[in-house]
Amino acid sequence: MVKKASREFYCPRCDRGFARLEHLQRHERSHTKEKPFCCDQCSKSFTRKDLLTRHLRLAHSSSSAPQTPERSSIASTQPVFDGLNVLASAVADNPFPSTAAPEHALLPATHETFPTAATVEPTPFSEPFAYGGDDFTSFLDSIPLPSHPYSPTYQPLPLFPPLQFDSGSEYPSTFGHDGTSTPRSSVLPRHGTQLPSLHLEESQPPHRARPPKIPVAVTTQCRDQIVKELRDYTNVVPDQTVPSRHALSRCLTGYLNGYHDHYPFLHLSTLNIETSPLHLILSMASLGAQYCREHQTSISLFYVAKSITLEHIRRNLQWTENNTSQNKNVSAKDESQDILETVQSLLMLTSVSSWFEHYPPHYEALYLRSVMETLLRKDGLNNLPLQDGSWESWIRNESAKRLKLIVFCFFGIHTIVFDLPSMILTEEISLDLPCTEKEWTASSASQWMEVRQHGRETPKLQDALNSLFTRNPSAPGQIESFTSLGGYVLIHAIIQNIWLIQKACRLPLTSSSSLLPAQISSLEQALENWCQCWERNQESSIDPFNPHGPISFTSTALLRLAYIRLNADFSSARRLQTFNPDEIAKSLRQNLSVQRNDRLTRAALHCAHALSTPIKLGINYVARTLVASWSNQYALCSLECAVLLAKWLEIATAPDPQPRLTEQETKLLEFVIEMVMEAQHGASRSWLLENNTRLSAAVTRLWARLFTADYIYELVNLIGRSLNRYADLLEGVDVS
């Protein structure tokens, strides 16, 4: 076992740790933009010596090394960087020994080492379509096993060939075989253009482990107070049974460890259970019990908490004929705080009931969300508590902002799952985006002030969104970055935009249900700008257990879903609200079609790329040890990944396709074949290509295996079962 190096040197700006002083000094140059290593053959300079060495090898080695006529001819026809060529070259040309740092990696290294289209050259092919088992083994060998189970290599960001945003052509491909086009950088700039490095210094900077949550200790006095307050609700809660203080402590701690980091609207440093309202405590315990795998306890607490919350609303917050609350003895400030705490309780109850068919039923969530919306509008969607400069007033302000934005995002999740319009539209929100997680998790006023000195003001949601849709990222007023939760809110806003446009395209008067090329280009431009801002956020990570939380990791899964939905309208075809895997599979099979074009190839590559790492590590291992800890949104996005890739494979393996497969399509097809042969014992290339559905079914079953373990929520298992049923349909098995 390799002993992990200790982190003795920490960056004062981003708190990243390094084992050696020179590593810290090199990292600090990423903040100062200092580039002391200059090329003596051109004007370029670099922050690190190894980058200069790489530049010399890639940009200037051809001037001194002889080039064969064959390779020179091929290279001349490929002047444009092509991410798919880089991916395929790892399989076809086998240029990287498994014991050395590779020249190209599917995953990003540090923020300092991302290549651009100008600095990375495609590897020419002597036999572009020849793949062998040894070649694919070499490719898998180039993906390093992570040093810990939540390594970024589990969630590779997508790899896309370049795209011209002003191109309106759908087919044939605009990959630029003739070299006449000059596309911009890839749809996801810099991400995913390299194979993972085996060299620790070139991997993503190591994070210090996220500190464990302090367990919640429910005292005897606190439980007695809960029992006393519960007596006031005998009219709606006849059974006055309350779990023991140990059970309550366990469930509340389960909330902190399992749910809080995915939706951080509670300020843990100042959270006091003993002064929290009864309905909030019980709602939190109900949600936490799910993460403790105590389902019956969760259900019991859910119904008690729901009854108390709704009765509290009736008694204290329900509107009268005079449009005022029935409780006349509270100030507007106290009523606003009461509303926010009640919305917190409702959001927790909605989070419990959204993912089950019956226990509790998912339609409870759809009912509760309407009450949530009513209370938020009563308080004012964009109204926040006033600040006086103190830490306490800032906490109240930021907590309210985060709660309202997270409710907006949760409505977006319901849109994805149940194909329902959001109850809050993006255009209605004029709030600022949330602060950094480092600022939010400060444990004292002094620590908070210290963090704020190095921070910057967050932009308003509307300004940030308009900036993302601006074609020129360097224009005045453009945002350079956003916080992790800010990026999460923005990607939900973009997905809402895609959903609304697709629904408008389904109107009877329209001639097509597909997005127009101009609409797709605008949305892809926004997604590219989002990616650039994501990269500049120092808290961003594709490690779901990084110290700043899993939000940026979850955002990349939603990013994948956004790109996929530009190619296919999954919204009406998913039918997850039926909780019937047969019906879901039939709907996806019958009501969703795709057509070959550039963007579909890129999206299919995206999906195949996301599947490659679980295959290397072992799908069953990943399913039983990792996926259960990730957000449910990962499974929701993976469903669309699996089906889109299956749809593409079905048309790509059709007999005598017209027009013929492009070079990029052929490379991707061969790559998928090698992946399936790696993961499925006994599968041969000839057997997989015997008809045009067998390979699609095999890939779908690989995706399904990721979501067939014993998960916390029923919906995740439903996705795995539906994918297996979809594979049955592809194989001609009757699922009626």
Side-chain angles (χ1 to χ4, degrees), residues 122-142:
T123 303
F125 288 84
S126 55
E127 295 181 9
F129 308 136
Y131 293 79
D134 292 339
D135 299 324
F136 188 73
T137 300
S138 298
F139 166 70
L140 287 182
D141 286 342
S142 69

Side-chain angles (χ1 to χ4, degrees), residues 136-207:
F136 188 73
T137 300
S138 298
F139 166 70
L140 287 182
D141 286 342
S142 69
I143 302 178
L145 289 176
S147 57
H148 61 91
Y150 299 102
S151 165
T153 58
Y154 281 107
Q155 176 69 5
L157 282 174
L159 170 64
F160 286 117
L163 171 68
Q164 278 186 291
F165 288 100
D166 56 357
S167 172
S169 63
E170 290 299 316
Y171 214 88
S173 168
T174 59
F175 286 118
H177 290 205
D178 57 358
T180 57
S181 63
T182 56
R184 298 176 55 156
S185 58
S186 72
V187 175
L188 291 183
R190 300 188 293 177
H191 275 304
T193 56
Q194 292 186 322
L195 286 168
S197 169
L198 296 179
H199 197 281
L200 179 61
E201 295 181 11
E202 292 187 2
S203 63
Q204 181 162 329
H207 293 291

Side-chain angles (χ1 to χ4, degrees), residues 78 174 353 387 535:
Q78 297 180 345
T174 59
S353 58
Q387 296 191 61
E535 291 173 358

